[in-house]
Structure formats: structure tokens, C-alpha cells
Amino acid sequence: MYATQALTDLVTLADTFDKNKVTPGVLGFIVFAALAVGVWMLMKSMNRHMGRVDFEEAPEPMAAEAAGAGSAKGK
């Protein structure tokens, strides 16, 4: 008798919820938090790798020769 009464109470409790409303719940929060932590770790790693890059752009040889030759002709 007690089991049927408990089930009856749960069924009436289930009817009080809005059936058109969907919520992500705890699992949705855990997935979102895991994605956020993963993105944060990737950004931290990218920052570290970009800090290690040592790049100095050298002038193009043809442009340097043309600029040097042009200024010498003008004198």
C-alpha cells in the first residue's frame, strides 16, 4: 500500500512541472564547465607558444638595393 501511495504522489508532482520547459540540468553545466576549462587551457598554451616565437623580418634584398641605388644616383 505504501509503494502505490508513493507512486501516486510522484505522478501528481510530475504533473505540476511545465512540460514545455527544457533545462540543461547538472549534466549540461558539467559539459559547459569542461569546455570552458579546455578553452582556457588552450589559450594559456597558445600564449606560452606565441611568447617563445622570435621573429625579425629582414628587408627584401631587391628593395634594399633599389633604395640604395636610387639615392646614390640622385647625388
Side-chain angles (χ1 to χ4, degrees), residues 25-46:
V26 177
L27 180 62
F29 174 75
I30 291 171
V31 169
F32 182 77
L35 286 171
V37 168
V39 168
W40 178 74
M41 289 172 58
L42 283 171
M43 292 294 289
K44 190 173 179 179
S45 174
M46 184 189 72

Side-chain angles (χ1 to χ4, degrees), residues 17-31:
F17 292 120
D18 185 10
K19 294 179 182 176
N20 295 323
K21 184 177 179 184
V22 178
T23 60
V26 177
L27 180 62
F29 174 75
I30 291 171
V31 169

Side-chain angles (χ1 to χ4, degrees), residues 1-65:
M1 179 84 173
Y2 293 116
T4 57
Q5 185 179 7
L7 287 175
T8 306
D9 289 341
L10 287 176
V11 170
T12 57
L13 183 63
D15 287 337
T16 60
F17 292 120
D18 185 10
K19 294 179 182 176
N20 295 323
K21 184 177 179 184
V22 178
T23 60
V26 177
L27 180 62
F29 174 75
I30 291 171
V31 169
F32 182 77
L35 286 171
V37 168
V39 168
W40 178 74
M41 289 172 58
L42 283 171
M43 292 294 289
K44 190 173 179 179
S45 174
M46 184 189 72
N47 241 357
R48 191 176 329 122
H49 282 86
M50 291 300 285
R52 292 180 187 170
V53 172
D54 185 26
F55 178 73
E56 293 182 19
E57 188 173 349
E60 293 182 20
M62 297 298 282
E65 290 174 9

